[in-house]
């Protein structure tokens, strides 16, 4: 037989299954890398709970660096696995085609070799030509794969830690905004392997959902954070989605790399915030990153403890100037420690919730508006519902949830309470108002809405009867509002009075711990004040001075005099700020008579 032998060509085309075998080995390698990463995560958690100080922080950073390295290695293995999977698919298609050609040729030879040698020869030539084309196609695919592997080995083929797409057996995540209960049920119905595949392949989609277990949210958000940091360190070819950069014009490339830089810098700030949280909360329990976002209007949510397994959960919402960089995690840590002290037999979690765009300062025009607080309130309602749904799916008892808002954060909590916030108790600290005029309008109802104010808190004094209070006498501290007023410390001056509510050892923090653990009988009531407050302060300090002089203790007498002067100064400041608040209230009452276009809220 002259010309190429179809049988020999068939053997060349169908021998060897490099793609399938290599892909299996890479899959096993990725399992080993994933297992190592889990060990590192466990070590990091144990380290954070048992070891503090600068050396511990350095060790934690080292572990984080190794985790990032493992993510990059997993990404490269994933790309290599996909390359070999592509080769395996090509081999499979080529072998099927070659088998069909050979069988057809053999049938022709058997039937016509003796009776029609011309036709048999023509068929042989045609089959050989087709087999040669299949061989060339396979050789070309192998050559392209080899080139890709060379680039991968040189570090040019991977733009960011990426993972292969999930297998068809893994269902797509529900869309963002799905009811948390439905999300929890969907997640609970997945197999363990499906959950692992989704965490690896779809961290962005999972992170946008509410209703997932907090430990899962922590894992996917740390993955996203590490990837964004990786992209910032490797900007060449990185895109906002984590896919390989496929080219395009220069303008497109500049836009993509600019977006990567923005995400990367946001990741740096969030990473620093998480490091601060881990340092401050050392020994208080695992630190979970429940939310990490680079979108405008969103931020971070960090938990000390697991809100889906704790018996008591406190969520603290800070006010103006809060951000990813200024989480004020110390508030949640202090409250968590007080909850542990108040109820040593319970399990507790405290969540610092900064998942909103707060006004930059008290001078920010947005402070006098409700737009940012309204948007934040909707986020808060959804996330608390998500923690409850995760607890329900896990079969644990529903936690006792206390929402604590400070300053502008109290406005957020109040608005959330009027929009269905699933909280058992609501606490308002140093509040300028909550946009409702009765405690009964908030979800916990009368008896479970609390308010506290430091004696000289300038925010409370300056907004008396105005700002977010619907009526001139219906703010959170007015009797008609219906909140339970509890005691807070009385700083001697205006300076710092607005920031004393979470001070360790303070009366306000002890009361917060009692409320958050449901021990309401231990809450101390606020001391009455009124028009005679200044005179009462003078008489009290005069009596102290007299007792000290009678005992011959001139130092104590001098301290009583200074304290009395401080109280008088604070009371004078209260009078000025309180008068300003009431004057603002009266002016706002006249706004209906002002010319069209005037906006007193912008003053």
């Amino acid at each position: 037989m002259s010309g190429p032998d179809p049988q020999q060509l068939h053997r060349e085309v169908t021998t060897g299954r490099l793609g399938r075998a290599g892909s299996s080995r890479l899959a096993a390698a990725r399992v080993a890398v994933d297992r190592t990463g889990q060990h590192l995560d466990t070590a990091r958690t144990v380290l954070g709970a048992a070891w503090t100080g600068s050396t511990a922080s350095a060790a934690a950073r080292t572990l984080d660096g190794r985790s990032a390295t493992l993510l990059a290695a997993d990404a490269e293995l994933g790309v290599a696995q996909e390359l070999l999977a592509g080769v395996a698919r090509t081999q499979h298609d080529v072998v099927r085609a070659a088998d069909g050609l050979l069988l057809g040729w053999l049938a022709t030879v058997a039937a016509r070799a003796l009776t029609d040698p011309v036709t048999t020869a023509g068929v042989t030539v045609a089959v050989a030509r087709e087999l040669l084309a299949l061989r060339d196609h396979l050789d070309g695919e192998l050559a392209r794969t080899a080139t890709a592997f060379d680039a991968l080995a040189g570090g040019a083929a991977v733009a960011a830690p990426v993972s292969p797409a999930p297998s068809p057996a893994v269902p797509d995540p529900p869309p963002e905004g799905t009811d948390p209960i439905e999300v929890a049920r969907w997640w609970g119905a997945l197999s363990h392997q499906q959950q692992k595949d989704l965490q690896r392949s779809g961290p962005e989609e999972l992170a946008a959902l509410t209703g997932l277990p907090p430990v899962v949210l922590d894992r996917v958000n740390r993955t996203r954070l590490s990837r964004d940091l990786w992209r910032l360190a490797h900007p060449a070819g990185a895109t906002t989605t984590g896919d390989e950069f496929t080219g395009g014009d220069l303008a497109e490339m500049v836009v993509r790399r600019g977006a990567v830089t923005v995400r990367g810098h946001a990741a740096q700030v969030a990473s620093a915030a998480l490091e601060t949280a881990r340092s401050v909360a050392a020994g208080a329990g695992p630190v979970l990153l429940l939310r990490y976002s680079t979108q405008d209007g969103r931020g971070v949510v960090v938990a000390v403890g697991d809100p889906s397994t704790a018996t008591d959960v406190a969520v603290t919402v800070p006010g103006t100037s809060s951000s990813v960089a200024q989480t004020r995690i110390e508030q949640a840590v202090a409250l968590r420690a007080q909850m542990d002290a108040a109820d040593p037999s319970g399990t507790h979690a405290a969540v610092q919730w900064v998942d909103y765009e707060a006004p930059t300062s008290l001078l920010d025009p947005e402070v006098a508006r409700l737009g940012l607080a309204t948007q934040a309130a909707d986020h808060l309602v959804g996330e608390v519902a998500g923690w409850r749904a995760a607890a329900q799916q896990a079969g644990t008892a529903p936690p006792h949830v206390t929402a604590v808002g400070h300053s502008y954060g109290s406005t957020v909590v109040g608005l959330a309470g009027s929009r269905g916030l699933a909280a058992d108790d609501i606490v308002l600290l140093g509040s300028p108002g909550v946009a409702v005029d009765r405690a009964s309008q908030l979800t916990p109802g009368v008896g479970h809405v609390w308010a506290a104010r430091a004696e000289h808190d300038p925010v409370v004094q300056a907004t008396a009867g105005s700002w977010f209070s619907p009526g001139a006498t219906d703010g959170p501290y007015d009797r008609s509002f219906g909140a339970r007023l509890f005691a807070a410390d009385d700083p001697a001056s205006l300076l710092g009075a607005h920031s004393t509510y979470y001070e360790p050892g303070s009366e306000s923090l002890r009361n917060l711990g009692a409320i958050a653990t449901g021990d309401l009988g231990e809450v101390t009531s606020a001391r009455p004040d009124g028009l005679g407050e200044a005179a009462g302060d003078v008489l009290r300090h005069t009596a102290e001075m007299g007792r000290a002089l009678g005992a011959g203790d001139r130092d104590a007498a001098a301290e009583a005099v200074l304290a009395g002067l401080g109280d008088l100064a604070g009371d004078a400041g209260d009078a000025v700020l309180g008068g300003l608040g009431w004057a603002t209230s009266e002016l706002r009452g006249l706004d209906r008579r002002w010319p069209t276009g005037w906006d007193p809220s912008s003053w």
Side-chain angles (χ1 to χ4, degrees), residues 27-317:
R30 295 190 73 189
V31 170
V33 169
D34 181 64
R35 187 179 299 115
T36 303
Q38 291 177 2
H39 290 327
L40 277 178
D41 289 343
T42 301
R44 180 172 52 192
T45 300
V46 173
L47 175 68
W51 191 14
T52 62
S54 58
T55 304
S57 296
R61 286 192 295 272
T62 299
L63 289 177
D64 288 341
R66 291 181 179 175
S67 293
T69 300
L70 284 174
L71 280 171
D74 180 69
E76 294 181 359
L77 288 172
V79 172
Q81 186 179 3
E82 183 59 31
L83 289 172
L84 289 182
V87 171
R89 288 191 294 270
T90 300
Q91 286 178 324
H92 178 267
D93 294 341
V94 166
V95 167
R96 288 185 62 186
D99 286 345
L101 287 169
L102 183 63
L103 289 174
W105 176 75
L106 290 174
T108 299
V109 169
R112 300 187 179 186
L114 297 177
T115 61
D116 192 355
V118 175
T119 300
T120 301
V123 171
T124 299
V125 171
V127 169
R129 187 184 302 117
E130 293 296 328
L131 287 170
L132 284 170
L134 288 174
R135 187 184 68 181
D136 291 343
H137 174 67
L138 181 57
D139 288 345
E141 182 66 20
L142 291 172
R144 284 190 293 273
T145 302
T147 301
F149 268 107
D150 287 342
L152 182 63
V158 175
V162 295
S163 301
S167 65
V170 179
D172 292 331
E176 183 177 358
T178 300
D179 183 86
I181 294 178
E182 293 301 318
V183 171
R185 289 173 179 168
W186 166 79
W187 183 258
L190 299 177
S191 68
H192 179 67
Q193 186 59 50
Q194 287 175 322
Q195 292 177 352
K196 287 185 62 177
D197 289 344
L198 278 169
Q199 289 174 67
R200 175 178 293 170
S201 64
E204 295 288 344
E205 291 80 2
L206 293 182
L209 301 176
T210 54
L212 296 178
V215 291
V216 173
L217 290 174
D218 176 65
R219 191 173 300 123
V220 297
N221 281 313
R222 287 180 187 269
T223 297
R224 296 171 58 241
L225 188 64
S226 297
R227 290 182 176 184
D228 284 341
L229 291 172
W230 195 97
R231 293 182 185 119
L232 183 64
H234 302 79
T239 70
T240 58
T241 62
D243 299 328
E244 292 183 60
F245 183 68
T246 55
D249 58 26
L250 180 60
E252 181 185 8
M253 181 180 70
V254 171
V255 170
R256 289 189 179 189
R257 290 187 178 177
V260 169
T261 301
V262 170
R263 283 186 66 111
H265 287 314
Q268 284 183 322
V269 175
S271 181
L274 194 60
E275 177 66 23
T276 299
R278 184 187 298 116
S279 175
V280 173
V287 175
L288 304 179
L289 182 61
L290 303 183
R291 175 76 66 178
Y292 156 62
S293 177
T294 57
Q295 302 175 19
D296 292 339
R298 304 302 290 260
V300 296
V301 179
V302 180
V304 183
D306 187 339
S308 70
T309 60
T311 55
D312 300 294
V313 176
V315 52
T316 56
V317 183

Side-chain angles (χ1 to χ4, degrees), residues 464-516:
S466 63
W467 210 346
F468 299 129
S469 298
T473 59
D474 293 315
Y477 303 102
D478 295 303
R479 291 183 182 276
S480 57
F481 184 84
R484 298 177 67 175
L485 303 183
F486 64 93
D489 293 76
D490 295 334
S493 70
L494 295 171
L495 299 178
H498 189 55
S499 306
T500 59
Y501 299 98
Y502 292 96
E503 287 292 329
S506 65
E507 188 171 13
S508 59
L509 184 60
R510 288 195 296 273
N511 283 327
L512 286 175
I515 295 170

Side-chain angles (χ1 to χ4, degrees), residues 374-452:
T374 301
Q375 185 180 35
D378 291 336
H379 295 168
L380 181 59
V381 169
E383 291 191 35
V384 172
W387 305 335
R388 285 191 177 276
Q392 180 180 340
Q393 182 63 36
T396 58
H400 170 263
V401 177
T402 302
V404 185
H406 174 239
S407 191
Y408 190 84
S410 72
T411 306
V412 173
V413 169
L415 279 169
S418 69
R419 291 167 174 252
L421 178 67
D424 300 284
D425 287 276
I426 280 180
V427 182
L428 311 171
L429 303 174
S431 178
V434 294
V436 298
D437 56 10
R438 294 292 183 272
S440 59
Q441 296 171 266
L442 306 182
T443 45
V446 176
H448 291 277
V449 176
W450 305 79

